[in-house]
Amino acid sequence: RFKSFDDAMIPPFMYGSHYSTSAGVVLHFLVRMHPFASLHRQLQGGHFDVADRLFSSVARTWDMCTGQSAAEVKELTPEWYCNPSFLRNSNSFKLGTSQEGESLGDVILPPWAKGSSEKFVEVLRCALESDICTSMLPNWIDLIFGRKQQGPASVEAHNVFFYLTYYGSVDVASIEDKDLRIATELQIAHFGQCPMQLFWRPHVTKLPVTNNRRRLSLSELLGLYDIQNIGDDLISNTNRQLMFGSAPLEYWLHLSAPPPGPHAPIIAVRLVVPDRCLAVDAQGIFHFFRFGWKVQIETGIDEEISQSDDLFSDKGVFVAQRELPHFRSIPRLHFALPKPSNGGKWDDPRYSAVVAISKCLFNRSLLVISDGDGKGALCFQFVDPAKGVVDGEVFVPSAHSSRISALHTDPIGAAAGVGGAGGELAIVGSEDGTATLWRFISNPTRTLPLRPRLRLGGHK
């Protein structure tokens, strides 16, 4: 098509479809999930498309995208690597019957998945994290974002699409004909668009795992994505080992709880560089720790070093202590449930405190978010891990209509390494089925919000 195409207005192209479109890719793969099923039916006039054109089989989709005709250039969505529910027809949609008389339901998986969508997604995740895929990622980046997106390099790589799909190829505002302008906008919106070109040189390759200069990630150290570690039981896998399991005895340190006791278990911990630690127990009491590494200095310099010695290992002992600062009242959460009785246990969420500790500092203090009164209120506290005190507190009544049941925080902006105002983003879940999103900005004044940025409903 590219060599034979001849048009005075349209440049030649190789593919009549695009690898990233809302209708052709996203709605096609996620047709069994909400809200994509509703969007698909809206696009098709209120009903599902013909069964033979729906996503029904992984093998069939693979053949269509890799066959000789090259009619399809679909790109996989993130759900293929993290969310197996898009492969199941959990909503019991009536997707129709194919020409072969097959009624469409769950997606037909390859035989090695053994009918398990969870195993299929986990194997694909392992493949994504493998050295083979890692070595191919630079070429994919060149095709989508780099030097092979446009120009002579794209022709050599067989990567030429319709001209309207390229970023900045047409100035829509300069089109005077209203109908032509609307048609162009619809073409760009529904057919797909290539992202802005970011690189003009070949993308660098990642060092292999076997390279001594490569710093391994936590998942690589634990072997979480090693294909040989995947068994039939995806929950309890005995092949995976915990970190520091082979550490010498001097690396381990146990700090006993202060008298008189008994004490509740620790439910939240946050390390604060370089040597502090804040913990909260199930009764809402704050615990402060200090830790460090005492280096063992070698005195003998003439001793021969054997081949088995690790020249890069730290030699010393781990030291730590519990900080017991002076206080008039015990530093604790604003509200915590009483000690369980009648056989209740602390690991039961009905009795344990609900708390989340920020990952970034707010003027040398950590932000602690907790249940305010057990009836839907929230409490924000600034805790100084160095002084061991609560140096600020805000109580927000009736943030929800029922008890707070879940809390989670994540850094944003400069705290997350992406630029902008640093701080924390917190999501709060309640037993009433609602969730609220709160934004906290890290600044010297430590201003706290009194209302959420967003309120979400419809959960059960």
Side-chain angles (χ1 to χ4, degrees):
R1 172 189 291 178
F2 180 78
K3 295 180 179 179
S4 61
F5 189 85
D6 186 15
D7 192 287
M9 301 294 295
I10 302 176
F13 58 95
M14 297 180 179
Y15 306 100
S17 59
H18 200 262
Y19 54 82
S20 180
T21 64
S22 58
V25 177
V26 179
L27 299 184
H28 176 76
F29 286 137
L30 308 184
V31 68
R32 291 167 175 81
M33 297 174 60
H34 286 299
F36 307 101
S38 301
L39 296 173
H40 174 91
R41 284 182 290 190
Q42 181 180 351
L43 189 66
Q44 298 293 332
H47 53 80
F48 287 106
D49 196 4
V50 179
D52 291 284
R53 288 202 292 259
L54 293 177
F55 176 45
S56 59
S57 168
V58 174
R60 182 170 175 265
T61 303
W62 170 265
D63 292 336
M64 290 175 61
C65 294
T66 60
Q68 296 294 332
S69 64
E72 297 287 348
V73 287
K74 287 182 172 63
E75 191 172 79
L76 301 185
T77 60
E79 285 77 9
W80 285 74
Y81 306 99
C82 63
N83 188 2
S85 60
F86 84 101
L87 298 167
R88 296 190 293 263
N89 189 15
S90 303
N91 298 297
S92 301
F93 291 129
K94 296 182 179 179
L95 303 177
T97 305
S98 64
Q99 293 181 359
E100 289 80 10
E102 180 182 357
S103 180
L104 268 64
D106 296 343
V107 176
I108 301 175
L109 303 176
W112 51 261
K114 298 180 180 180
S116 172
S117 55
E118 287 80 7
K119 183 174 183 179
F120 175 80
V121 168
E122 186 170 12
V123 171
L124 257 66
R125 182 66 177 267
C126 291
L128 183 65
E129 300 289 345
S130 66
D131 288 339
I132 297 176
C133 187
T134 300
S135 63
M136 299 174 66
L137 276 178
N139 186 48
W140 175 81
I141 295 175
D142 289 340
L143 291 170
I144 307 300
F145 303 98
R147 67 184 188 91
K148 295 181 181 180
Q149 186 196 85
Q150 300 182 48
S154 66
V155 179
E156 296 177 4
H158 303 285
N159 191 40
V160 182
F161 294 88
F162 193 66
Y163 77 103
L164 286 180
T165 62
Y166 291 98
Y167 180 85
S169 60
V170 177
D171 185 6
V172 180
S174 63
I175 301 178
E176 298 180 357
D177 190 340
K178 181 180 179 180
D179 294 336
L180 180 60
R181 183 172 65 253
I182 294 176
T184 305
E185 291 175 347
L186 293 175
Q187 169 81 12
I188 295 173
H190 297 291
F191 185 79
Q193 188 174 28
C194 299
M196 180 188 298
Q197 186 174 352
L198 302 178
F199 311 107
W200 282 264
R201 296 180 180 179
H203 199 272
V204 295
T205 58
K206 188 177 181 180
L207 294 174
V209 178
T210 55
N211 194 301
N212 294 329
R213 296 172 57 192
R214 165 85 175 274
R215 297 183 63 181
L216 299 181
S217 63
L218 178 62
S219 60
E220 291 171 338
L221 288 171
L222 296 179
L224 296 181
Y225 299 120
D226 291 343
I227 195 71
Q228 61 268 21
N229 285 342
I230 297 181
D232 294 332
D233 188 358
L234 301 178
I235 299 176
S236 59
N237 197 326
T238 57
N239 293 331
R240 299 175 183 176
Q241 298 179 353
L242 295 176
M243 283 188 67
F244 312 119
S246 60
L249 188 60
E250 61 266 20
Y251 283 27
W252 294 83
L253 188 64
H254 181 268
L255 295 177
S256 300
H263 299 276
I266 298 294
I267 59 173
V269 178
R270 180 71 67 225
L271 297 177
V272 187
V273 292
D275 59 353
R276 301 284 178 173
C277 177
L278 171 65
V280 185
D281 65 22
Q283 286 185 311
I285 299 175
F286 293 115
H287 299 264
F288 304 93
F289 303 92
R290 191 172 184 177
F291 60 89
W293 179 259
K294 186 177 180 181
V295 180
Q296 179 182 353
I297 302 176
E298 298 286 347
T299 56
I301 58 176
D302 296 332
E303 297 179 0
E304 293 185 2
I305 301 175
S306 64
Q307 254 185 347
S308 60
D309 289 340
D310 188 355
L311 301 179
F312 300 97
S313 65
D314 292 329
K315 296 182 179 180
V317 292
F318 189 67
V319 293
Q321 66 181 19
R322 180 188 295 272
E323 300 280 89
L324 297 175
H326 297 283
F327 46 78
R328 293 184 178 180
S329 60
I330 298 176
R332 63 187 306 163
L333 300 178
H334 185 273
F335 168 80
L337 294 170
K339 181 181 177 180
S341 58
N342 300 326
K345 296 183 179 180
W346 282 117
D347 55 2
D348 191 332
R350 294 177 297 175
Y351 303 108
S352 182
V354 183
V355 62
I357 308 176
S358 67
K359 298 179 178 64
C360 69
L361 289 174
F362 291 76
N363 194 18
R364 299 184 180 180
S365 296
L366 287 170
L367 174 64
V368 179
I369 309 173
S370 62
D371 186 1
D373 59 0
K375 301 177 182 179
L378 273 175
C379 184
F380 309 135
Q381 295 173 295
F382 286 116
V383 181
D384 191 334
K387 297 180 180 179
V389 295
V390 178
D391 58 1
E393 182 175 298
V394 171
F395 181 79
V396 182
S398 303
H400 290 266
S401 61
S402 297
R403 176 177 179 259
I404 304 300
S405 57
L407 285 166
H408 184 74
T409 62
D410 257 335
I412 58 174
V418 295
E424 292 274 333
L425 202 63
I427 186 165
V428 181
S430 171
E431 291 181 350
D432 61 6
T434 64
T436 52
L437 197 65
W438 300 74
R439 183 185 180 189
F440 304 91
I441 301 300
S442 178
N443 52 43
T445 60
R446 300 195 305 188
T447 305
L448 290 173
L450 297 180
R451 64 182 62 182
R453 303 277 295 186
L454 186 64
R455 188 175 295 274
L456 307 171
H459 303 86
K460 293 183 180 180

Short mmCIF file of all heavy atoms in Angstrom, two decimals, residues 11 13 32 38 59 68 94 120 133 141 148 151 226 228 252 267 290 302 315 324 341 355 370 384 386 399 417:
data_model
loop_
_atom_site.label_atom_id
_atom_site.label_comp_id
_atom_site.label_asym_id
_atom_site.label_seq_id
_atom_site.Cartn_x
_atom_site.Cartn_y
_atom_site.Cartn_z
N PRO A 11 -0.49 12.00 2.25
CA PRO A 11 0.78 11.29 2.14
C PRO A 11 0.56 9.79 2.25
O PRO A 11 -0.42 9.33 2.86
CB PRO A 11 1.59 11.82 3.33
CG PRO A 11 0.90 13.07 3.75
CD PRO A 11 -0.53 12.89 3.41
N PHE A 13 0.73 5.91 3.47
CA PHE A 13 0.79 5.30 4.80
C PHE A 13 0.69 3.79 4.65
O PHE A 13 0.32 3.27 3.60
CB PHE A 13 -0.33 5.83 5.71
CG PHE A 13 -1.71 5.62 5.17
CD1 PHE A 13 -2.46 4.52 5.55
CD2 PHE A 13 -2.27 6.53 4.27
CE1 PHE A 13 -3.74 4.32 5.05
CE2 PHE A 13 -3.55 6.35 3.77
CZ PHE A 13 -4.29 5.23 4.15
N ARG A 32 -16.11 -6.27 28.61
CA ARG A 32 -16.80 -7.01 29.66
C ARG A 32 -16.80 -6.27 31.00
O ARG A 32 -17.28 -6.81 32.00
CB ARG A 32 -16.14 -8.38 29.84
CG ARG A 32 -16.37 -9.33 28.67
CD ARG A 32 -15.46 -10.54 28.72
NE ARG A 32 -15.77 -11.49 27.65
CZ ARG A 32 -15.35 -11.35 26.41
NH1 ARG A 32 -14.59 -10.32 26.07
NH2 ARG A 32 -15.68 -12.24 25.49
N SER A 38 -20.82 0.05 28.65
CA SER A 38 -21.82 1.07 28.31
C SER A 38 -21.33 1.97 27.19
O SER A 38 -22.11 2.34 26.29
CB SER A 38 -22.16 1.90 29.55
OG SER A 38 -22.66 1.08 30.59
N ALA A 59 -5.98 -16.35 21.42
CA ALA A 59 -5.31 -16.92 20.25
C ALA A 59 -5.80 -16.26 18.96
O ALA A 59 -5.00 -15.98 18.05
CB ALA A 59 -5.54 -18.43 20.21
N GLN A 68 -0.32 -12.47 8.20
CA GLN A 68 0.29 -11.91 7.00
C GLN A 68 -0.41 -10.63 6.54
O GLN A 68 0.21 -9.76 5.94
CB GLN A 68 0.24 -12.96 5.87
CG GLN A 68 1.06 -14.21 6.17
CD GLN A 68 2.54 -13.91 6.23
OE1 GLN A 68 3.04 -12.98 5.59
NE2 GLN A 68 3.27 -14.69 7.02
N LYS A 94 -24.92 -10.33 27.60
CA LYS A 94 -25.31 -11.17 26.46
C LYS A 94 -24.57 -10.67 25.23
O LYS A 94 -25.02 -9.75 24.54
CB LYS A 94 -26.82 -11.11 26.27
CG LYS A 94 -27.60 -11.71 27.44
CD LYS A 94 -29.10 -11.67 27.19
CE LYS A 94 -29.86 -12.28 28.37
NZ LYS A 94 -31.33 -12.24 28.16
N PHE A 120 -2.96 -16.39 33.89
CA PHE A 120 -2.64 -15.79 32.60
C PHE A 120 -2.02 -14.40 32.78
O PHE A 120 -1.00 -14.08 32.19
CB PHE A 120 -3.90 -15.71 31.75
CG PHE A 120 -3.73 -15.01 30.44
CD1 PHE A 120 -3.17 -15.66 29.35
CD2 PHE A 120 -4.10 -13.68 30.29
CE1 PHE A 120 -3.00 -15.01 28.14
CE2 PHE A 120 -3.94 -13.02 29.08
CZ PHE A 120 -3.38 -13.68 28.01
N CYS A 133 11.99 -9.14 27.35
CA CYS A 133 11.16 -7.96 27.12
C CYS A 133 11.94 -6.68 27.42
O CYS A 133 11.79 -5.68 26.72
CB CYS A 133 9.91 -8.04 27.98
SG CYS A 133 8.72 -6.73 27.63
N ILE A 141 10.15 1.88 22.43
CA ILE A 141 10.18 3.32 22.73
C ILE A 141 10.57 4.11 21.49
O ILE A 141 10.02 5.18 21.22
CB ILE A 141 11.15 3.59 23.90
CG1 ILE A 141 10.62 2.93 25.18
CG2 ILE A 141 11.33 5.09 24.12
CD1 ILE A 141 11.55 3.04 26.36
N LYS A 148 12.13 6.45 15.44
CA LYS A 148 11.46 5.65 14.42
C LYS A 148 9.98 6.00 14.28
O LYS A 148 9.26 5.32 13.58
CB LYS A 148 11.61 4.16 14.74
CG LYS A 148 13.04 3.65 14.69
CD LYS A 148 13.11 2.17 15.00
CE LYS A 148 14.55 1.66 14.98
NZ LYS A 148 14.62 0.21 15.28
N GLY A 151 9.74 10.16 9.78
CA GLY A 151 10.92 10.31 8.94
C GLY A 151 11.35 9.02 8.27
O GLY A 151 10.63 8.01 8.28
N ASP A 226 9.86 -14.14 38.52
CA ASP A 226 10.54 -15.26 37.88
C ASP A 226 9.50 -16.27 37.44
O ASP A 226 8.67 -16.72 38.25
CB ASP A 226 11.53 -15.91 38.84
CG ASP A 226 12.71 -14.99 39.13
OD1 ASP A 226 12.90 -14.03 38.36
OD2 ASP A 226 13.42 -15.23 40.12
N GLN A 228 9.69 -19.32 36.76
CA GLN A 228 9.76 -20.64 37.39
C GLN A 228 9.14 -20.65 38.78
O GLN A 228 8.87 -21.70 39.34
CB GLN A 228 11.21 -21.13 37.48
CG GLN A 228 12.12 -20.22 38.31
CD GLN A 228 12.81 -19.20 37.43
OE1 GLN A 228 12.34 -18.92 36.34
NE2 GLN A 228 13.93 -18.67 37.90
N TRP A 252 20.17 -8.75 63.28
CA TRP A 252 18.83 -8.79 63.86
C TRP A 252 18.83 -8.14 65.23
O TRP A 252 19.77 -8.28 66.00
CB TRP A 252 18.35 -10.24 63.98
CG TRP A 252 18.16 -10.90 62.65
CD1 TRP A 252 19.11 -11.48 61.89
CD2 TRP A 252 16.93 -11.04 61.94
NE1 TRP A 252 18.57 -11.97 60.73
CE2 TRP A 252 17.24 -11.72 60.73
CE3 TRP A 252 15.62 -10.67 62.19
CZ2 TRP A 252 16.27 -12.03 59.80
CZ3 TRP A 252 14.65 -10.98 61.26
CH2 TRP A 252 14.98 -11.65 60.08
N ILE A 267 0.62 -1.67 64.22
CA ILE A 267 -0.19 -1.76 63.00
C ILE A 267 0.29 -0.83 61.90
O ILE A 267 -0.12 -0.95 60.75
CB ILE A 267 -1.67 -1.46 63.29
CG1 ILE A 267 -1.84 -0.06 63.89
CG2 ILE A 267 -2.26 -2.52 64.21
CD1 ILE A 267 -3.28 0.37 64.05
N ARG A 290 14.97 4.84 67.48
CA ARG A 290 16.16 5.38 66.81
C ARG A 290 17.07 4.22 66.49
O ARG A 290 17.23 3.29 67.30
CB ARG A 290 16.88 6.37 67.72
CG ARG A 290 17.97 7.17 67.02
CD ARG A 290 18.50 8.27 67.92
NE ARG A 290 19.48 9.09 67.24
CZ ARG A 290 20.07 10.16 67.77
NH1 ARG A 290 19.76 10.52 69.01
NH2 ARG A 290 20.94 10.86 67.09
N ASP A 302 47.35 -6.65 57.17
CA ASP A 302 48.24 -7.55 56.43
C ASP A 302 47.63 -8.93 56.22
O ASP A 302 48.26 -9.80 55.63
CB ASP A 302 49.58 -7.71 57.20
CG ASP A 302 50.34 -6.40 57.27
OD1 ASP A 302 50.15 -5.58 56.35
OD2 ASP A 302 51.09 -6.19 58.25
N LYS A 315 30.47 -4.54 57.47
CA LYS A 315 30.85 -5.34 58.62
C LYS A 315 30.63 -4.50 59.86
O LYS A 315 31.19 -3.42 60.01
CB LYS A 315 32.31 -5.78 58.51
CG LYS A 315 32.56 -6.72 57.33
CD LYS A 315 34.01 -7.18 57.26
CE LYS A 315 34.21 -8.13 56.08
NZ LYS A 315 35.61 -8.60 55.99
N LEU A 324 12.05 7.23 74.79
CA LEU A 324 11.03 7.47 75.81
C LEU A 324 11.10 8.93 76.25
O LEU A 324 11.68 9.27 77.28
CB LEU A 324 11.22 6.54 77.00
CG LEU A 324 11.07 5.04 76.72
CD1 LEU A 324 11.43 4.21 77.95
CD2 LEU A 324 9.65 4.72 76.27
N SER A 341 -12.68 -7.39 74.17
CA SER A 341 -13.04 -8.31 75.25
C SER A 341 -13.93 -9.41 74.67
O SER A 341 -14.27 -9.40 73.49
CB SER A 341 -13.77 -7.56 76.37
OG SER A 341 -14.92 -6.91 75.85
N VAL A 355 -5.39 3.90 60.74
CA VAL A 355 -4.39 4.97 60.69
C VAL A 355 -3.55 4.84 59.44
O VAL A 355 -3.38 3.74 58.90
CB VAL A 355 -3.50 4.90 61.96
CG1 VAL A 355 -2.74 3.59 62.01
CG2 VAL A 355 -2.52 6.06 62.00
N SER A 370 -6.09 9.56 60.90
CA SER A 370 -6.74 8.47 61.63
C SER A 370 -8.23 8.73 61.77
O SER A 370 -8.73 9.82 61.47
CB SER A 370 -6.11 8.33 63.03
OG SER A 370 -6.30 9.52 63.78
N ASP A 384 6.25 14.79 65.52
CA ASP A 384 7.68 15.01 65.36
C ASP A 384 8.42 13.76 65.84
O ASP A 384 8.46 13.49 67.04
CB ASP A 384 8.12 16.23 66.17
CG ASP A 384 9.55 16.65 65.83
OD1 ASP A 384 10.33 15.79 65.41
OD2 ASP A 384 9.87 17.84 66.00
N ALA A 386 11.56 13.13 66.00
CA ALA A 386 12.80 13.42 66.73
C ALA A 386 12.51 13.81 68.18
O ALA A 386 13.23 13.40 69.10
CB ALA A 386 13.58 14.53 66.02
N ALA A 399 -16.84 13.82 58.42
CA ALA A 399 -16.30 13.68 57.07
C ALA A 399 -17.03 12.60 56.30
O ALA A 399 -17.17 12.66 55.08
CB ALA A 399 -14.81 13.38 57.14
N GLY A 417 8.93 12.89 43.24
CA GLY A 417 9.96 13.01 42.22
C GLY A 417 9.47 13.40 40.86
O GLY A 417 10.15 13.17 39.86
#
